[in-house]
Amino acid sequence: ATVSILMTKYYTHVFDPAQFGVLALYTTMVQYLGNFIGFSVDASAQRVYFDYKGEERKEYFGTVLIFLTGSAFFWVIILLFLKNAVVGYVGGTGIMYIITILLTVLAMYVNFLSRIGYNEHLSTLIFRQSMVQTTFNHGGSFVFIAFLKMSILGRQAGQLAAYAFNAFFYTIALRKADILKKKF
């Protein structure tokens, strides 16, 4: 939380009010799109998590991942058709819009994987992944903004990198712990 507060001060310093407003709209879009893209299955599927054991749990993971992927594919196609209208209304660029969509999809998968960590009481993993998320999110954003001069696109790129690394490391950790076994 402290890092987020400090970096928000940094972001308000380096972005003018119009840029910060556009960034805030895209950030809000990520939060709302997440509910549409995954139909909140990443969260609601956890209600029955402990109902499945052994082979059934593998099928459960496979089914949830198939649904999330199919839904993401469907919504990404729809959202790509809406790109010009949304960018025209919200502002920013087409690449910002596409990054927002990718960010939303990755966030959905990370949310699903983190809920598995919570269900399995893997507090060390969850803490470590929170640190990975924070480090790559704000550290990457800082590098993209300060050194690569990417402005608000740099902030989004930092977030995208953070979610990509988080999904990658969560998947590896859950597989090593022999938890994330799936059968499609």
Side-chain angles (χ1 to χ4, degrees), residues 104-123:
T104 304
V105 170
L106 281 172
M108 174 187 67
Y109 285 114
V110 168
N111 189 32
F112 175 69
L113 296 170
S114 69
R115 287 176 188 275
I116 294 170
Y118 281 110
N119 286 343
E120 295 293 334
H121 305 288
L122 301 172
S123 57

Side-chain angles (χ1 to χ4, degrees), residues 33-90:
L33 282 178
N35 291 328
F36 289 110
I37 288 180
F39 293 105
S40 296
V41 167
D42 55 336
S44 61
Q46 300 307 310
R47 186 188 69 73
V48 295
Y49 182 84
F50 293 104
D51 291 349
Y52 300 105
K53 306 275 189 260
E55 287 297 310
E56 286 182 329
R57 176 124 349 132
K58 291 177 189 178
E59 290 177 4
Y60 161 80
F61 283 147
T63 302
V64 171
L65 290 171
I66 286 171
F67 181 83
L68 291 175
T69 303
S71 178
F73 182 76
F74 171 80
W75 281 107
V76 166
I77 297 298
I78 299 290
L79 291 168
L80 288 175
F81 282 113
L82 298 172
K83 182 180 84 167
N84 292 335
V86 173
V87 172
Y89 181 74
V90 173

